Amino acid sequence: MLIMAIELCDYTLRSGMPENSPVSERVRIASDLAEAGIENIELGCMAGYEIQAYYPLAEVQGASYSVTMPSEHFECGMLPECTGQIQEIRIMLHRGDWDVPVKAAKELASKGYELVFDIEDAYEYTDAELLLLCEKMRATGAGQVTVAGSVVFPNIRALHRITMLLDNNLDINEKIGIRCEGNASLAHFVADSFIGIPVRRERQLVVEGALFGKGCIPGCICTECMADLLNEDFAAHYDYRKLIQLISRIMPESNSDPGDSGSYHPVFYLSAKNQVDGDYGRYFLSKGVSLGELDVLLKKVAETQRLCFFDEAVAEQIYRAGAG
């Protein structure tokens, strides 16, 4: 089991929820994520300078909260001083368009905010461009730099090149993050490769994703899957059960049979995790079982039917015993 400094950042509230979701529901989601052990929670994208609108969502202690400043609002003179409720502001960097956001970052830092830079489509950058950008980011005192992409990386060599360059040219107290979207399987392959890159031991890494893979573009890194991986292989202590219960509650489609589409669905992940035939999970879902209950039932299946074909009689017996 490996011990490394790896954190999770969840952006379900920014990208995976309807814009008209009630504040009370958003508060509950933020609380559940924090209580599940997620270290960093992105609350949304600021409309103008109304950062105060996000204060109610940042009530649970133990997590760090951030909002994204859209590129059309880099004039930040009207933004209030940091109160400590929302500690971080994220700034997107697009290739060659750095001066205005970097100037805004310095002003945000003077107001007490920590800074996270998202390097969009980082794989397009040359080494010379990244070195120049590192110099500019260091001057702002940024706390994190995220290698981001609206599509997944063309190859792992590019990810390795960029990550190692950042590791060798950023201050050691700056975190390096990964965010990619567009294809869930490839996104997870990129994330798994990222945490295996031999950065300096003191370097903090951050994997960014959303529940059920619902990012700005569908098919991002799934928070619940990464939490489970880090629990198993990196001695983390995320409450995986709480995360899948949260998915079951806020995303009703997760409680329905996914059919044979082949797309990611927690029922397939839980079946594979327990090494049982996926039809057991689908059978239980057809009975109205929630994802939280499903994990328990599949563990019972695994006690006698691991690596065996689906047996409806066994499934019904376990379902009835569980329902009772």
Side-chain angles (χ1 to χ4, degrees), residues 51-258:
I51 194 171
Q52 295 95 328
Y54 291 102
Y55 287 170
L57 279 65
E59 293 181 343
V60 177
Q61 300 296 313
S64 176
Y65 297 93
S66 66
V67 295
T68 295
M69 174 174 280
S71 56
E72 63 268 24
H73 292 298
F74 280 144
E75 191 64 42
C76 51
M78 295 175 61
L79 198 71
E81 299 283 331
C82 179
T83 63
Q85 290 170 281
I86 296 176
Q87 302 96 330
E88 297 178 344
I89 292 184
R90 307 184 71 104
I91 296 177
M92 296 182 182
L93 294 176
H94 297 278
R95 191 179 185 190
D97 184 20
W98 304 331
D99 291 341
V100 173
V102 167
K103 180 182 177 181
K106 292 178 179 178
E107 188 170 353
L108 291 170
S110 72
K111 292 176 179 285
Y113 293 99
E114 297 177 18
L115 305 172
V116 178
F117 285 113
D118 291 344
I119 308 177
E120 298 297 315
D121 297 327
Y123 55 84
E124 296 181 349
Y125 284 63
T126 65
D127 287 356
E129 288 174 315
L130 284 171
L131 287 169
L132 178 59
L133 184 55
C134 283
E135 183 179 339
K136 291 179 178 292
M137 292 187 295
R138 280 201 309 268
T140 68
Q144 179 181 324
V145 175
T146 292
V147 179
S150 55
V151 293
V152 294
F153 282 75
N155 58 64
I156 296 305
R157 293 187 301 278
L159 176 65
H160 192 281
R161 172 183 67 87
I162 294 165
T163 304
M164 292 301 292
L165 190 148
L166 292 175
D167 182 47
N168 289 321
N169 291 279
L170 293 175
D171 293 337
I172 194 59
N173 60 342
E174 293 181 66
K175 302 174 184 178
I176 300 177
I178 185 71
R179 175 186 300 206
C180 52
E181 301 178 326
N183 182 300
S185 297
L186 288 177
H188 277 269
F189 176 63
V190 168
D192 192 51
S193 300
F194 172 73
I195 60 180
I197 294 174
V199 296
R200 286 180 283 175
R201 184 180 297 275
E202 303 87 352
R203 179 72 68 190
Q204 184 91 44
L205 300 179
V206 182
V207 179
E208 305 184 4
L211 294 173
F212 206 28
K214 284 199 166 185
C216 299
I217 301 173
C220 70
I221 299 166
C222 300
T223 298
E224 67 277 11
C225 295
M226 285 308 303
D228 191 44
L229 170 67
L230 295 179
N231 285 346
E232 292 287 338
D233 294 345
F234 293 87
H237 300 284
Y238 298 105
D239 190 338
Y240 174 76
R241 183 94 184 276
K242 192 174 191 68
L243 292 173
I244 60 172
Q245 287 173 335
L246 176 57
I247 293 172
S248 181
R249 180 171 62 81
I250 67 175
M251 300 173 181
E253 65 272 25
S254 68
N255 297 309
S256 301
D257 188 333

Side-chain angles (χ1 to χ4, degrees), residues 293 297 300 316-324:
E293 297 168 316
L297 293 177
K300 292 181 179 179
E316 181 65 18
Q317 180 181 7
I318 290 174
Y319 167 71
R320 290 182 177 277

